[in-house]
Amino acid sequence: QTYSQDEKAVDFIALAAHELRGPITVIRGYLDVLSDELSETLSANQKELMERLDVSASRLSGYISNILNAAKYDRRVFKIHLVEEKLSNIYTAIADDLALRARTQGRLLSVTIADDLPTIAADRNTLSEVLANLVDNAIKYSREGGQVVVTAAVDGNFVKCSVQDFGIGIPTSVMNNLFGKFYRSHRSRSSVSGTGLGLYISKAVVESHGGKMGVTSKEGEGSVFSFSIPIYSTVADKLASSHNGN
Ligand code: ADP
């Protein structure tokens, strides 16, 4: 079999990203242990440094996941495993991380995801990365003191989750490019760190769930990014008849 230059590049990136996952997991683990063990002895200043370390490490690990998933998706070896899940539980798993990110960057994060919403057919890991990507963007592309509001509601056969910010917003002229691979607006390129893969892979993940991704925005006023995931009961039969929810 012969590979094109592009495929070789993707292979290399996937391999590199895969190798980066081990060390970053170790770093995050020891950071956790350290901040627990030192919690009594650290000064307020040192605590803040630890928190910033923690936030940077979790961001880095998010970027690595995005790179790895995008490479897999492009090679068509990206797999998700759909099972019955509560959106509120999926959020709970990443809530502390995102709360810390918001706090260290001076954003006010408010999350309301009712526990009694219908369950969804979801792949917990990849869907939590979608949530993290959207909340992270809402933090990155808004101002100090800005609000970030996460809500969820039933929308037909779907549970729709929205992430709203009151930040820089998006000009109509670039709305169509947002979900493109490596797209970053020229304003963000210089001032905010990122890979331009977050929305690309988030859309791929949501669509692999049989869902839809949406965005509304006004330049200078803010944006609402949302995704809809099928309610479990509406797809349960289909999942049962396909082998294992893949
Ligand atoms: P990254 O954030 O790494 O640049 P993304 O794929 O997550 O990559 O986003 C692509 C681009 O879309 C960003 O560079 C930014 O220009 C724009 N964008 C994404 N989310 C928002 C938001 N909440 N507000 C304004 N612009 C956004």
Side-chain angles (χ1 to χ4, degrees), residues 124-144:
R124 174 180 275 266
N125 286 333
T126 56
L127 203 61
S128 69
E129 283 163 9
V130 171
L131 267 164
N133 281 327
L134 296 187
V135 172
D136 201 39
N137 280 347
I139 292 172
K140 288 193 321 193
Y141 302 111
S142 60
R143 301 173 193 90
E144 181 93 37

Side-chain angles (χ1 to χ4, degrees), residues 137 140-141 165 170 178 183-185 188 194-196 198-199 223:
N137 280 347
K140 288 193 321 193
Y141 302 111
D165 68 66
I170 299 158
L178 293 179
Y183 175 78
R184 311 200 65 212
S185 86
S188 349
T195 59
L199 289 179
S223 314

Side-chain angles (χ1 to χ4, degrees), residues 137-205:
N137 280 347
I139 292 172
K140 288 193 321 193
Y141 302 111
S142 60
R143 301 173 193 90
E144 181 93 37
Q147 282 215 62
V148 174
V149 183
V150 183
T151 52
V154 173
D155 181 18
N157 287 337
F158 299 82
V159 169
K160 180 175 178 179
C161 179
S162 304
V163 179
Q164 179 170 25
D165 68 66
F166 302 86
I168 64 173
I170 299 158
T172 354
S173 58
V174 306
M175 284 291 254
N176 286 329
N177 308 333
L178 293 179
F179 299 97
K181 189 159 48 160
F182 300 126
Y183 175 78
R184 311 200 65 212
S185 86
H186 69 280
R187 284 175 311 174
S188 349
R189 270 202 301 266
S190 51
S191 54
V192 185
S193 80
T195 59
L197 285 174
L199 289 179
Y200 172 74
I201 192 60
S202 295
K203 182 167 189 272
V205 167

Side-chain angles (χ1 to χ4, degrees), residues 51-218:
E51 287 181 352
R52 282 173 189 274
L53 269 176
D54 197 2
V55 165
S56 286
S58 96
R59 270 221 167 103
L60 179 56
S61 131
Y63 288 153
I64 292 171
S65 291
N66 284 343
I67 294 170
L68 195 56
N69 286 337
K72 283 185 186 161
Y73 181 76
D74 288 355
R75 288 302 305 271
R76 295 181 182 29
V77 293
F78 179 66
K79 282 206 181 79
I80 58 166
H81 183 64
L82 300 178
V83 295
E84 182 171 16
E85 295 274 9
K86 276 185 176 186
L87 185 63
S88 54
N89 286 346
I90 295 181
Y91 195 89
T92 305
I94 52 169
D96 286 352
D97 248 21
L98 295 180
L100 188 62
R101 266 189 233 189
R103 189 153 57 77
T104 54
Q105 298 193 254
R107 307 298 194 271
L108 306 169
L109 174 62
S110 99
V111 183
T112 317
I113 302 178
D115 202 43
D116 58 0
L117 281 171
T119 54
I120 51 178
D123 178 81
R124 174 180 275 266
N125 286 333
T126 56
L127 203 61
S128 69
E129 283 163 9
V130 171
L131 267 164
N133 281 327
L134 296 187
V135 172
D136 201 39
N137 280 347
I139 292 172
K140 288 193 321 193
Y141 302 111
S142 60
R143 301 173 193 90
E144 181 93 37
Q147 282 215 62
V148 174
V149 183
V150 183
T151 52
V154 173
D155 181 18
N157 287 337
F158 299 82
V159 169
K160 180 175 178 179
C161 179
S162 304
V163 179
Q164 179 170 25
D165 68 66
F166 302 86
I168 64 173
I170 299 158
T172 354
S173 58
V174 306
M175 284 291 254
N176 286 329
N177 308 333
L178 293 179
F179 299 97
K181 189 159 48 160
F182 300 126
Y183 175 78
R184 311 200 65 212
S185 86
H186 69 280
R187 284 175 311 174
S188 349
R189 270 202 301 266
S190 51
S191 54
V192 185
S193 80
T195 59
L197 285 174
L199 289 179
Y200 172 74
I201 192 60
S202 295
K203 182 167 189 272
V205 167
V206 168
E207 289 178 353
S208 304
H209 278 74
K212 287 182 298 270
M213 190 92 193
V215 52
T216 57
S217 184
K218 198 148 183 224

